[in-house]
């Protein structure tokens, strides 16, 4: 199991490197595909993955990502309202085929998966985005790894004993500090390419620390959904890790945080 998980992790990191370094349409299309797979996994929990509410959700995702490149939607808020109205139309005109929670899940999936994950692409496209985008992974996957190591060594106080008994307060602190230190090291190595001063390096480190703290919310939120619906993993796409949502649960919530903090504090 460990070898499978390790190998899958190495392949996942390699793919992330290739796609994010490439940027542009390659990253846009790949992020859209990952989002749709994540949507499918979430919709499957509510049994709408192959039904009208789910199909409408995939269509909205495709239009949303296409708009990021070609800007053909006159107003995103209007598009979201139209999507909601169409979902409600499906709900009422096919009643009682779908339950209210299925319609709400179809709407929720657009924001929780697609729009949140799109900030990987959006961060990559800002000034210095080729370097800043890695903060998303440093403060999610990096924080998770550091939290696990510190938790195993020093963990005594449970952070969420019912939801996730193995996670500790000490591990959480270690994860946040690890995200900060990893980002400092990363920004120091690439300081010339990024053109950042010591002050900006510290700001980037603090951004990752905040992102690391919030990433735990994303991780636990994904776990809470699984607990509510009594499933172990969202999928089996990534051997040893589960599905897209199992591996990207913390990335989902940190991507927009890193984007906005970077835009307002760094670029």
């Amino acid at each position: 199991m460990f070898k499978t998980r390790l190998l899958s992790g190495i392949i996942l990191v390699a793919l992330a490197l290739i796609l994010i370094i490439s940027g542009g349409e390659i990253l846009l299309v790949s992020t859209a595909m990952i989002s749709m797979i994540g949507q499918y996994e979430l919709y499957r929990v509510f049994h709408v993955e192959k039904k009208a509410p789910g199909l409408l959700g995939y269509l909205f995702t495709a239009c949303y990502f296409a708009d990021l490149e070609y800007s053909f939607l006159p107003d995103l808020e209007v598009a979201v309202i139209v999507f909601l109205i169409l979902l409600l139309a499906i709900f009422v005109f096919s009643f009682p085929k779908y339950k209210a929670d299925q319609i709400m899940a179809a709407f929720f999936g657009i924001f929780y998966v697609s729009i949140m994950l799109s900030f990987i692409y959006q961060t990559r496209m800002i000034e210095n985005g080729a370097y800043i985008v890695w903060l998303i992974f440093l403060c999610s996957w990096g924080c998770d790894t550091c939290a696990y190591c510190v938790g195993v060594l020093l963990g005594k106080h449970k952070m969420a004993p019912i939801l996730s008994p193995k996670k500790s307060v000490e591990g959480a602190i270690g994860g946040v500090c690890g995200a900060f230190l990893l980002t400092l090291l990363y920004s120091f190595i690439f300081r010339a390419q990024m053109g950042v001063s010591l002050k900006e390096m510290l700001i980037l480190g603090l951004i990752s620390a905040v992102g690391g703290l919030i990433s735990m919310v994303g991780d636990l939120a994904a776990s809470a959904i699984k607990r509510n619906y009594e499933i172990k993993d969202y999928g089996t796409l990534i051997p040893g890790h589960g599905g897209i949502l199992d591996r990207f649960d913390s990335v989902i919530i940190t991507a927009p945080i890193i984007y906005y903090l970077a835009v307002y504090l760094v670029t």
Side-chain angles (χ1 to χ4, degrees):
M1 182 65 177
F2 175 75
K3 290 182 179 179
T4 301
R5 185 178 177 86
L6 178 62
L7 181 59
S8 296
I10 292 171
I11 293 173
L12 193 63
V13 170
L15 285 173
L17 282 167
I18 293 169
L19 295 174
I20 293 175
I21 290 173
S22 298
E25 292 186 357
I26 293 176
L27 180 60
L28 177 72
V29 173
S30 61
T31 307
M33 291 175 63
I34 290 170
S35 296
M36 286 189 185
I37 295 170
Q39 267 184 282
Y40 179 86
E41 293 175 350
L42 181 66
Y43 289 168
R44 186 166 53 191
V45 175
F46 297 90
H47 309 292
V48 293
E49 73 279 11
K50 295 180 181 179
K51 298 178 181 178
L55 297 176
L56 188 61
Y58 306 141
L59 178 61
F60 183 91
T61 291
C63 291
Y64 171 72
F65 274 93
D67 184 66
L68 289 178
E69 179 70 16
Y70 301 109
S71 301
F72 59 86
L73 293 176
D75 191 308
L76 182 58
E77 289 183 357
V78 172
V80 171
I81 291 170
V82 170
F83 173 60
L84 177 58
I85 291 172
L86 290 174
L87 275 177
L88 292 176
I90 292 172
F91 183 41
V92 298
F93 290 118
S94 62
F95 191 85
K97 183 176 181 179
Y98 300 108
K99 303 296 184 183
D101 63 337
Q102 292 178 304
I103 300 300
M104 288 186 280
F107 189 69
F108 172 68
I110 288 295
F111 292 91
Y112 177 62
V113 185
S114 301
I115 292 179
M116 300 284 270
L117 277 178
S118 75
F119 282 95
I120 296 175
Y121 169 76
Q122 295 187 65
T123 304
R124 174 64 176 82
M125 302 311 290
I126 65 175
E127 183 182 355
N128 264 343
Y131 296 97
I132 293 175
V133 69
W134 295 105
L135 269 62
I136 295 172
F137 300 96
L138 285 172
C139 72
S140 52
W141 294 349
C143 175
D144 184 53
T145 301
C146 292
Y148 173 79
C149 294
V150 174
V152 168
L153 293 173
L154 304 173
K156 292 182 179 179
H157 302 87
K158 302 299 182 182
M159 183 171 66
I162 297 176
L163 181 57
S164 188
K166 293 183 179 180
K167 286 183 169 57
S168 65
V169 174
E170 293 82 1
I173 294 171
V176 171
C177 292
F180 175 78
L181 294 173
L182 285 171
T183 301
L184 275 186
L185 177 62
Y186 169 77
S187 56
F188 177 78
I189 292 172
F190 293 102
R191 64 190 183 283
Q193 294 89 335
M194 296 173 69
V196 292
S197 63
L198 177 59
K199 178 182 177 181
E200 289 170 326
M201 288 167 58
L202 290 172
I203 290 174
L204 289 173
L206 289 172
I207 288 174
S208 277
V210 172
L213 184 63
I214 294 173
S215 75
M216 298 177 196
V217 175
D219 185 12
L220 291 171
S223 296
I225 294 172
K226 289 191 288 186
R227 288 292 184 93
N228 278 167
Y229 290 88
E230 299 180 344
I231 58 174
K232 183 178 184 296
D233 293 315
Y234 284 103
T236 57
L237 182 65
I238 309 171
H241 293 269
I244 290 294
L245 293 183
D246 296 295
R247 184 63 277 180
F248 285 80
D249 50 7
S250 55
V251 172
I252 284 172
I253 201 168
T254 56
I257 299 300
I258 295 301
Y259 172 82
Y260 284 111
L261 287 177
V263 166
Y264 289 117
L265 298 179
V266 181
T267 59

